[in-house]
Amino acid sequence: MIRDTLARLALLLVGLIVASVLIFLTLRVLPGDVAQLIAGTDGTPAQVAAIRERLGLDEPLPAQYLDWIGGVLRGDFGTSLLTGTPVMDELLQKAAVTVPLGVMAMVVALLIAFPFGVLSAMARGRASGTALNVGAQALAAVPVVWAGMMLIVVFAVWLGWLPAQGFPRSGWDDPAAAVRALLLPALTIGIVEGAMLLRFVRSATLQAVGEDFVRTAAAKGLTRNAALVRHGLPTVGLSVITVLGLQVAGIVVGAVVIEQLFTLPGIGRMLVTDVGARDLPKVQGELLALTGFVLIVGFVVDLVHRVLDPRQREAT
Amino acid sequence: MLRRTSLTAAALLAAGALLLTACTGGGDTAPTETGEPDPSAQLTVGLVLEPTNLDIRHTSGAALEQILIDNIYQGLVTRTEDNEIEPALASEYEISTDGLTYTFTLNPDITFHSGDALSVDDVVTSYTEVKDDESLIGHGDFAGVASIAADGDSTVVITLTEPNQNFLFALTGPAGLVFKAGDETDLKTGANGTGPFLLANWIQGDSIELTRNDAYWADPAGVAGVVLQYIPDFTAGVNAALDGSLDVLTAVDPNLAPQLDGESGFTLTTGKTTDKGTLAFNNAKAPLDDVRVREALRLAINHDELVAAIGAGQPMYGPIPELDPGYEDLSDVVGYDPDRARELLDEAGVDDLDLTLTIPSFYGTTVAQVLVSDFNEVGVTLEVNQVEFATWLQDVYTNKDYDLSFVLHVEPRDFGNFANPDYYFQYDNTEVQELYAEALATVDADESAALLAEAARIVSEDHAADWLYNGATLTAVGTGVAGFPVDSINSRLDLSGVTVAE
């Protein structure tokens, strides 16, 4: 078990290094550079060259990479070329919007997926079960942007219950206002992600119904549903944890889109702006932090899974 | 494909026509206030384009100038909404009859936000830095400056090596701003200006907050504070206005504007701009180096229909907009004549012409759709290549690797681009270059404007580019808000005169 965990940890580190190289190189393929953007359409080539030199962009690529990754290992994610502020500071500031948004979206997704997924499995073959399943399929296919626009039209523009965009400038000093600002965006991501998760919960539940130990419990006199709830659902929960790890990546992607739509000053929106501005040190830091986050969540989920699932523990 | 695009164009046209009708009632002035202005009021303004940082000395961009000049930083002179030059930090200025010596007298008792008094040395230092430091924005505007010197405690004298009609105007831009000599403020995130507002807070990707400068040397601002809320998505901006989070929404998408009229508590104003929706031709690249091909392309474009599809603005037939010196109605040069366009293409011997339009993605699809459909009518296939602005800068602007390109050129008085053969248009006409040089060197403003008009006519007759439209800017002003600027607000947004009634 310990040896296996260490091996997985090593794999995580290799993953992070590979990701850092890929991030660094793919960004270098993008045409256009920040020096040109700073100089604007009035800038002369000499001016652009001067700015490029000032920003250290004329260094060879390996030197730039080592400079960057060396900083990261010391906990220094570098400085934004445009704003001059440390990337880490801006990341933390924006994470105060994106992380709560992701958590809220996840809660919404689970609140939808778990009960309705199990219900849909238990009602299989009946009209209600089919309706739930079809509804979930349809919802899961909805583009996040469209779902967001619908929610804005209904809850912000028609009913006026929730703000259509923006995050309080005072941030979390006013928690109620902050939560209100995140509610519609979290619902948007949560509903779509929840619908996808629902189908997974449904099939995991159906599978559990067929498991020997559930059948045994039922044979011992429990009703099929009671056997499922008491013995089957824990295994469903376990598999859902694994899928949740994968969903984190989906929620990060959803956040990029949703933060644009709701004008939330989060990591997703910062990323889009910074790529457009070719503020590469900042984009590198942001992407590495996000990739690292997703990889670490995957690692932790894996670990939790092993601890909780006796079968996996025995297998290793 | 043709069918679909023409359908879309027709739909856009209908929406545009609706909008134009809607706009006529709104008039061209900001609404009058309904109650007493409240000096403690906060104003929230929605804007589209956020500056990347606040360092106006080292970063170019209209978004930066729009917010910082006049509100935070000031120069000796500034310009009005109609692009007229007027004194700012200088109480008056004098230009010698030979056009070489500019004498500015400073207003008394001006202080920076830090509390330090403004001195002539600050002006001399600021301007000398622009002249000497190549990395400063506006350095090129100071190329013809021979000397910058103080004369006593309140006079600054600038001498030029040769007369330059554009010099005073350049001083209304970043080149002319005055900073405290030896100031340590980090200009990327902070500011120490002399203007009616202080920079209170900047949340990148969200908003900039200004508060009234109570120690301001002239009349104080009418509101206690302004929040500039950046909302890049047009629909999100309209939603924010409708849900009550904004007092004013600038740069309203014309096709969404009807939602913000009357009942919603907003009044729309239509402002003039110097935005030139420029369809650039790569004049050095075949077959666009053939004037017949360029003329054919211009004849193929139905400008009225295009303007209607965009929903605001007016057709434009030459390089100089109404707000700039040298403007002349050049609609006699080119009209809408697809038959003649086909003839010209035949004469030029280009059948089945395939061209690529490189367009920065933030301009949306309307312009491209109309062009694709119009060009299709005359047998020209247009491929649309949407790129990020950074890519556009590299491919089109720097490497000049393009056929056609669309960009909104917003800068006022930028006719000089057609007198510069190295500019990405690659338009090279010595007559135009001479006329432009002469116009710059002419001391008399009217004479200079006449020369510019002459040069502009040649540029248009050469079909060096097509000016698809002269943009108009729509602003939705909420009830109780008065004095909000109307014209030219995408390059200057002077907020000191805005008031909010209770």
Side-chain angles (χ1 to χ4, degrees):
Chain A
M1 172 85 187
I2 290 175
R3 230 175 63 196
D4 190 59
T5 307
L6 284 177
R8 259 152 215 284
L9 197 62
L11 207 64
L12 172 70
L13 288 178
V14 172
L16 280 172
I17 292 168
V18 171
S20 76
V21 175
L22 280 179
I23 288 168
F24 183 86
L25 288 180
T26 43
L27 288 178
R28 294 308 179 284
V29 175
L30 289 178
D33 73 331
V34 67
Q36 181 78 66
L37 278 167
I38 289 174
T41 44
D42 295 331
T44 60
Q47 210 166 5
V48 175
I51 295 171
R52 200 171 283 139
E53 195 186 326
R54 183 164 59 92
L55 298 176
L57 296 174
D58 52 347
E59 303 270 325
L61 284 189
Q64 285 189 44
Y65 174 78
L66 288 177
D67 192 41
W68 170 56
I69 207 70
V72 169
L73 291 175
R74 289 190 305 275
D76 173 12
F77 273 63
T79 324
S80 159
L81 295 180
L82 283 171
T83 63
T85 40
V87 172
M88 202 47 165
D89 290 6
E90 294 203 25
L91 262 174
L92 290 177
Q93 195 198 349
K94 307 294 181 201
V97 175
T98 306
V99 171
L101 171 65
V103 171
M104 282 169 71
M106 191 78 96
V107 170
V108 171
L110 281 177
L111 284 179
I112 293 173
F114 220 86
F116 290 109
V118 173
L119 276 179
S120 144
M122 285 159 84
R124 187 162 76 135
R126 270 175 280 155
S128 57
T130 314
L132 268 174
N133 197 28
V134 170
Q137 298 237 15
L139 266 183
V142 164
V144 184
V145 177
W146 189 79
M149 290 202 301
M150 288 300 110
L151 288 179
I152 288 176
V153 167
V154 174
F155 291 102
V157 178
W158 285 355
L159 298 172
W161 291 351
L162 292 165
Q165 60 82 42
F167 193 71
R169 268 177 305 282
S170 54
W172 286 93
D173 293 351
D174 183 353
V179 169
R180 267 170 59 83
L182 292 183
L183 218 51
L184 277 187
L187 272 174
T188 310
I189 306 177
I191 288 174
V192 177
E193 290 286 317
M196 283 189 232
L197 205 56
L198 187 155
R199 287 154 66 208
F200 183 82
V201 170
R202 180 175 183 271
S203 61
T205 311
L206 286 176
Q207 205 187 341
V209 173
E211 292 276 1
D212 288 346
F213 55 90
V214 177
R215 276 209 304 251
T216 313
K220 282 184 178 167
L222 283 174
T223 63
R224 192 181 71 129
N225 285 354
L228 180 68
V229 170
R230 215 173 291 170
H231 299 280
L233 287 194
T235 62
V236 173
L238 216 51
S239 8
V240 168
I241 287 177
T242 318
V243 178
L244 266 188
L246 298 175
Q247 295 287 100
V248 168
I251 285 178
V252 167
V253 174
V256 173
V257 177
I258 282 309
E259 285 175 3
Q260 288 292 109
L261 185 66
F262 286 90
T263 335
L264 293 174
I267 294 176
R269 191 160 162 222
M270 176 167 72
L271 193 59
V272 173
T273 315
D274 292 337
V275 172
R278 296 291 185 269
D279 194 343
L280 297 189
K282 213 168 145 210
V283 178
Q284 279 163 209
E286 289 155 7
L287 284 180
L288 189 66
L290 286 180
T291 318
F293 179 68
V294 171
L295 285 176
I296 289 168
V297 167
F299 172 71
V300 171
V301 164
D302 208 32
L303 221 60
V304 169
H305 204 161
R306 271 153 198 286
V307 171
L308 292 184
D309 189 347
R311 286 171 302 181
Q312 292 232 13
R313 224 170 12 212
E314 280 154 22
T316 49
Chain B
M1 184 64 203
L2 168 65
R3 201 184 147 78
R4 223 174 102 200
T5 38
S6 23
L7 269 180
T8 320
L12 286 168
L13 194 72
L18 261 178
L19 171 87
L20 288 176
T21 356
C23 281
T24 38
D28 277 328
T29 47
T32 46
E33 64 217 76
T34 45
E36 275 297 296
D38 175 10
S40 63
Q42 290 283 336
L43 177 75
T44 308
V45 181
L47 300 130
V48 175
L49 206 59
E50 186 186 10
T52 46
N53 69 61
L54 302 180
D55 189 352
I56 194 163
R57 298 204 90 182
H58 290 97
T59 313
S60 78
L64 210 60
E65 292 187 30
Q66 177 189 39
I67 292 316
L68 296 185
I69 299 184
D70 291 341
N71 292 319
I72 304 258
Y73 297 113
Q74 296 176 303
L76 293 177
V77 286
T78 186
R79 58 185 196 235
T80 64
E81 291 177 45
D82 301 328
N83 277 349
E84 299 291 335
I85 299 169
E86 60 177 26
L89 292 178
S91 57
E92 54 181 10
Y93 60 87
E94 221 182 84
I95 305 170
S96 63
T97 44
D98 61 2
L100 292 178
T101 312
Y102 289 68
T103 309
F104 298 90
T105 311
L106 286 186
N107 273 304
D109 304 323
I110 298 175
T111 54
F112 283 94
H113 296 161
S114 60
D116 298 311
L118 172 112
S119 71
V120 278
D121 289 336
D122 296 323
V123 182
V124 173
T125 310
S126 297
Y127 287 12
T128 307
E129 282 167 357
V130 175
K131 179 175 152 40
D132 294 343
D133 184 347
E134 196 177 34
S135 74
L136 289 184
I137 302 297
H139 171 75
D141 295 327
F142 274 44
V145 172
S147 70
I148 304 156
D151 178 12
D153 287 343
S154 62
T155 309
V156 178
V157 180
I158 302 176
T159 50
L160 306 183
T161 51
E162 55 189 333
N164 181 350
Q165 265 294 332
N166 271 356
F167 182 67
L168 199 61
F169 194 78
L171 289 187
T172 68
L177 299 179
V178 178
F179 300 85
K180 182 76 199 155
D183 195 13
E184 301 275 289
T185 309
D186 178 6
L187 294 183
K188 280 182 172 171
T189 50
N192 181 21
T194 54
F197 289 99
L198 308 166
L199 176 70
N201 191 16
W202 176 35
I203 304 174
Q204 219 206 332
D206 183 67
S207 60
I208 294 176
E209 215 173 325
L210 310 176
T211 50
R212 177 169 50 218
N213 173 10
D214 286 317
Y216 186 52
W217 58 276
D219 290 338
V223 288
V226 183
V227 173
L228 304 158
Q229 182 78 52
Y230 289 98
I231 310 174
D233 183 80
F234 288 116
T235 316
V238 170
N239 287 334
L242 289 176
D243 84 1
S245 352
L246 302 175
D247 297 313
V248 176
L249 178 65
T250 65
V252 180
D253 182 337
N255 294 309
L256 301 175
Q259 296 182 48
L260 286 171
D261 214 0
E263 284 169 37
S264 61
F266 287 90
T267 309
L268 283 172
T269 65
T270 307
K272 291 184 198 137
T273 71
T274 56
D275 297 1
K276 299 155 290 278
T278 309
L279 178 67
F281 300 148
N282 192 341
N283 283 265
K285 186 178 175 189
L288 293 158
D289 55 353
D290 186 330
V291 66
R292 290 170 299 190
V293 175
R294 300 198 300 265
E295 184 178 4
L297 293 181
R298 287 186 81 191
L299 287 168
I301 300 167
N302 187 338
H303 290 80
D304 294 324
E305 196 178 300
L306 183 90
V307 167
I310 288 162
Q314 55 181 17
M316 191 181 177
Y317 299 96
I320 297 180
E322 219 180 318
L323 287 173
D324 282 348
Y327 168 75
E328 189 188 355
D329 180 2
L330 293 172
S331 52
D332 58 310
V333 175
V334 70
Y336 174 53
D337 192 345
D339 293 330
R340 177 76 190 127
R342 275 186 286 263
E343 278 172 34
L344 278 168
L345 288 172
D346 270 351
E347 278 174 36
V350 283
D351 295 329
D352 299 326
L353 188 55
D354 277 308
L355 294 170
T356 302
L357 172 75
T358 311
I359 178 171
S361 45
F362 50 65
Y363 289 127
T365 52
T366 309
V367 167
Q369 277 169 352
V370 174
L371 291 179
V372 167
S373 136
D374 280 355
F375 285 171
N376 223 322
E377 290 285 313
V378 299
V380 174
T381 311
L382 189 65
E383 191 194 320
V384 180
N385 181 20
Q386 282 207 341
V387 296
E388 273 185 295
F389 189 60
T391 310
W392 182 89
L393 272 176
Q394 178 165 318
D395 290 354
V396 178
Y397 181 75
T398 308
N399 296 339
K400 302 169 181 97
D401 178 17
Y402 74 104
D403 298 332
L404 306 180
S405 165
F406 173 82
V407 166
L408 211 53
H409 281 267
V410 298
E411 298 80 8
R413 301 199 186 192
D414 61 356
F415 174 74
N417 292 334
F418 288 97
N420 172 10
D422 293 331
Y423 203 68
Y424 79 98
F425 305 143
Q426 305 209 74
Y427 172 66
D428 191 357
N429 182 321
T430 41
E431 198 186 353
V432 169
Q433 288 152 25
E434 279 161 17
L435 278 170
Y436 180 65
E438 205 184 325
L440 279 190
T442 301
V443 180
D444 183 80
D446 293 335
E447 231 173 275
S448 171
L451 288 164
L452 285 174
E454 201 184 328
R457 179 170 281 277
I458 298 173
V459 169
S460 183
E461 283 169 353
D462 267 347
H463 310 290
D466 188 60
W467 300 274
L468 297 173
Y469 61 93
N470 179 195
T473 178
L474 299 189
T475 309
V477 183
T479 318
V481 178
F484 200 86
V486 175
D487 293 323
S488 300
I489 60 171
N490 53 358
S491 56
R492 284 293 181 286
L493 189 55
D494 182 353
L495 294 164
S496 60
V498 182
T499 58
V500 180
E502 292 196 54

